[in-house]
Amino acid sequence: MTLLQKGDKAPNFSSQDQDGNLHTLADYKGKKLVVFFYPKADTPGCTAEACDLRDNYHRFQANNYALLGVSADSAKAQAKFKNKFELPFPLLADEDKSVIEAFGVWGPKKFMGREYDGINRTTFIIDENGIIDEVIADVKTKAHAAQILK
């Protein structure tokens, strides 16, 4: 599963957001970047997580953080999710899973006794120089901002 850890260089990703704008790791040089991977837009856990980050967005901005949400949803689904909950940060539509796989968050999961492959909810905090500062695998969806901004 997640092979990346604190001290590793973050993958040099490139992906489009809900509006078709391209985002790369280099775009965020000089800022701390929070890349949070979530299984599916507009589902209860993912909504709780995204809304907690939204509600604390001013705190992230005050501390020189940029946020990027990533799932394998289509750009249309990401745009609907972003607009419905007034999310102030881009959501990458990683349908080909290139970013998801580069960060190593695709793999076996269990839900209600069933095993399948999917996105394992994980957050990476990347420093101003593109180095992973922290990996949060045990995401608390309703208090995720507090996990990041401790």
Side-chain angles (χ1 to χ4, degrees):
M1 260 291 299
T2 307
L3 304 174
L4 294 173
Q5 45 199 316
K6 181 179 173 79
D8 289 346
K9 186 154 179 38
N12 192 11
F13 65 86
S14 174
S15 188
Q16 291 187 339
D17 68 14
Q18 73 287 336
D19 298 322
N21 299 315
L22 192 66
H23 294 262
T24 67
L25 180 63
D27 296 338
Y28 297 94
K29 189 160 177 56
K31 274 194 168 295
K32 291 178 255 188
L33 177 62
V34 175
V35 182
F36 67 100
F37 291 88
Y38 57 95
K40 190 157 180 56
D42 208 1
T43 54
C46 299
T47 299
E49 180 182 10
C51 289
D52 179 57
L53 296 175
R54 173 201 65 201
D55 295 346
N56 289 280
Y57 189 62
H58 62 283
R59 293 176 57 207
F60 286 105
Q61 287 184 305
N63 287 289
N64 196 34
Y65 281 93
L67 278 74
L68 274 181
V70 186
S71 76
D73 292 298
S74 68
K76 183 178 176 184
Q78 296 288 48
K80 190 174 167 193
F81 184 42
K82 183 176 173 28
N83 293 335
K84 181 176 179 180
F85 295 100
E86 299 177 3
L87 304 176
F89 39 79
L91 301 175
L92 301 185
D94 191 28
E95 290 184 272
D96 68 357
K97 301 181 188 72
S98 61
V99 180
I100 291 162
E101 289 174 352
F103 277 85
V105 298
W106 183 264
K109 297 175 65 161
K110 261 190 182 165
F111 183 68
M112 294 173 75
R114 193 172 68 89
E115 270 195 52
Y116 60 97
D117 280 349
I119 296 171
N120 288 272
R121 188 185 309 277
T122 311
T123 297
F124 295 84
I125 302 168
I126 301 166
D127 73 12
E128 297 86 344
N129 300 308
I131 304 299
I132 295 172
D133 198 36
E134 189 177 355
V135 180
I136 303 171
D138 183 22
V139 172
K140 311 262 184 278
T141 58
K142 294 183 172 108
H144 197 34
Q147 285 182 290
I148 299 166
L149 295 167
K150 50 184 177 298

